[in-house]
Amino acid sequence: MAMAINYVSDINPSKESWKIVVRVTHLWHVPSYNNPSELHSIELVLMDEKASIKRSMIMTYRNLLDEGESYTLMTFGVGLNNGDYKPTSHAYKINFLNITKVEVKRDASISLY
């Protein structure tokens, strides 16, 4: 049985199995504070949801995600969207894990917002 697709706006830490379809609206590489030539993380805005790819996961996902493209995401972590920089107003953010599944979704009907 296929997993139902959830809305980005419904994401919260109450469950572990989410499946969403999103478009990457912004993507940027954050350099390490002590070594600017080394990546600290990759940050994304997926419609109105923030997502982070930490240093240990960068090599896995670095070449899979492009700004403007649509994806189906499954098996990811959900945490509080806290800290000094919040590119979205959503209360939670997506954290990519080593088991996060990313599939390209060729669908022009997926809105940027």
Side-chain angles (χ1 to χ4, degrees), residues 3-74:
M3 178 186 254
I5 295 176
N6 304 109
Y7 292 105
V8 172
S9 59
D10 293 337
I11 292 174
N12 65 66
S14 70
K15 70 178 195 173
E16 295 181 11
S17 297
W18 294 98
K19 180 179 181 179
I20 60 173
V21 176
V22 294
R23 184 179 301 271
V24 176
T25 55
H26 300 287
L27 181 144
W28 64 100
H29 297 90
V30 179
S32 176
Y33 179 74
N34 295 328
N35 184 358
S37 65
E38 183 178 289
L39 283 179
H40 171 70
S41 65
I42 297 175
E43 303 294 320
L44 306 103
V45 176
L46 310 170
M47 291 140 73
D48 192 34
E49 177 76 30
K50 179 183 178 192
S52 294
I53 302 172
K54 298 298 180 199
R55 183 182 358 234
S56 61
M57 300 289 110
I58 288 174
M59 294 311 289
T60 303
Y61 298 104
R62 181 180 200 164
N63 296 318
L64 289 179
L65 301 164
D66 290 313
E67 199 167 281
E69 290 295 327
S70 301
Y71 301 92
T72 301
L73 299 180
M74 295 175 280

